[in-house]
Amino acid sequence: MTEWNASHIPDQHGRVAVVTGANSGLGLVTATELARHGAHVVMAVRDVAAGERAAEAIRRSAPRAGIEVRELDLASLASVRAFATGMTAGFEAIDLLVNNAGLVLLGPARTTADGFELQLGTNMLGHFALTGLLLGGLGRADAARVVSLSSITHKNARLDFDDLMSRRDFNASRAYGRSKLATTAFGLELDRRLRAAGSPVVSVVAHPGLSRSNLTPRAWEHRGRIGQIFARGGLLVTQPAERGALPQLFAATAPGVRGGQFFGPSGLFETRGRVVEVRPSAHAADPTVGLRLWTAAEDLTGVTYL
């Protein structure tokens, strides 16, 4: 069987796709390939100037690409609501939401504008709120999909519902793993709820293995020169972003994808390789965990749906 790659993406003309964190790394590759294949791509980015530079690069490689940049700071619920309001006003239907944006920080604890631990707030709670606020537009599309970006780090994490914000005993790498576990559990619980509601929207999850992005250098930036050394060393064992983005592109576009599926690389502990269906951790797949997380996310964000 031929290994799946971006050339296999079906024609995307007529589809509206929202990609968070689309100005660099996996998000930029995802936005680029969707635009090249005909989708109208909304690049949802915190840094609009960086987003415009990335959009211009896409236009140079694909002159007919339909692409626009809109501001979205997932660490601010006010920004999430403003973005969703603009999307609802601008588009009758949304065909694809790729919850790609992510943050990993290995320094001291930091919080979002709403007081959430920064990694959990950005990686999961912001996307939880965004998905809920865009669900009406997704529901008006034919065969819409929501793709949530997980990480292999979720497999060694467990959620502490008595201390979701990691205030009691903060450890940055553990907090990141928990944020990605929460993202995975959210994507799977969203699928359960969509199916129970009879919704045509499909929720799937993907992870990139060990892939090159600007997250690695940023994670170590608090350590100065030694942090730069660690960051460069980490990049040596990663695969290019063009390969790392394939699982989420497959989840977003491949025919026959079913709700609740999880895609990642096939080789060496899922760190690299061709796209295959993989298994989430038992904790992430536990419906009891999904229910508790959903209830907590509703309470924290004030966004209630399904």
Side-chain angles (χ1 to χ4, degrees):
M1 181 182 293
T2 303
E3 180 178 340
W4 194 91
N5 58 55
S7 70
H8 295 105
I9 295 173
D11 179 53
Q12 299 294 298
H13 283 89
R15 302 189 80 207
V16 174
V18 177
V19 182
T20 68
N23 61 294
S24 65
L26 302 173
L28 177 56
V29 174
T30 299
T32 300
E33 293 299 342
L34 291 172
R36 282 177 178 167
H37 287 82
H40 180 89
V41 178
V42 178
M43 301 174 70
V45 300
R46 183 174 57 85
D47 185 337
V48 173
E52 292 289 359
R53 290 192 294 271
E56 186 56 35
I58 295 173
R59 294 186 189 106
R60 286 196 298 270
S61 67
R64 296 183 180 180
I67 197 154
E68 63 180 275
V69 177
R70 297 196 180 205
E71 183 176 8
L72 171 64
D73 183 356
L74 288 159
S76 164
L77 290 176
S79 178
V80 172
R81 290 183 182 277
F83 176 86
T85 297
M87 286 297 301
T88 301
F91 298 93
E92 175 65 22
I94 299 168
D95 299 272
L96 175 63
L97 171 60
V98 183
N99 288 328
N100 162 85
L103 177 72
V104 51
L105 292 173
L106 300 182
R110 294 170 59 188
T111 57
T112 69
D114 304 284
F116 308 142
E117 190 277 316
L118 187 58
Q119 295 175 109
L120 181 71
T122 302
N123 298 349
M124 184 269 167
L125 291 172
H127 281 128
F128 175 91
L130 177 66
T131 302
L133 294 168
L134 295 182
L135 194 59
L138 288 160
R140 288 188 288 273
D142 293 330
R145 295 185 191 179
V146 178
V147 180
S148 297
L149 189 62
S150 179
S151 163
I152 52 177
T153 61
H154 92 274
K155 296 193 176 188
N156 295 319
R158 292 187 68 84
L159 293 175
D160 181 353
F161 286 101
D162 294 322
D163 187 26
L164 273 178
M165 300 305 155
S166 301
R167 294 191 178 105
R168 187 170 54 224
D169 180 25
F170 181 78
N171 176 284
S173 59
R174 182 173 61 208
Y176 175 73
R178 286 175 174 176
S179 77
K180 285 303 186 177
L181 169 59
T183 299
T184 310
F186 159 61
L188 298 176
E189 179 65 14
L190 177 60
D191 167 63
R192 295 184 196 102
R193 289 172 179 259
L194 289 167
R195 283 188 286 135
S199 172
V201 181
V202 168
S203 173
V204 291
V205 184
H207 83 78
L210 293 181
S211 297
R212 212 159 297 150
S213 74
N214 60 1
L215 293 184
T216 302
R218 286 182 179 176
W220 291 98
E221 63 185 7
H222 67 289
R223 297 293 299 274
R225 185 177 296 275
I226 193 170
Q228 294 177 17
I229 295 171
F230 277 118
R232 291 192 188 109
L235 291 174
L236 292 175
V237 299
T238 59
Q239 60 181 346
E242 288 75 14
R243 286 194 64 86
L246 291 180
Q248 64 201 66
L249 282 166
F250 184 94
T253 66
V257 168
R258 304 183 308 278
Q261 287 188 288
F262 186 14
F263 299 101
S266 62
L268 193 62
F269 306 110
E270 299 177 21
T271 58
R272 60 184 65 245
R274 63 187 179 86
V275 179
V276 295
E277 185 171 3
V278 296
R279 288 187 178 184
S281 71
H283 194 61
D286 186 342
T288 303
V289 172
L291 175 60
R292 291 189 70 183
L293 178 65
W294 192 280
T295 301
E298 287 183 330
D299 290 342
L300 290 164
T301 65
V303 177
T304 302
Y305 58 107
L306 292 175

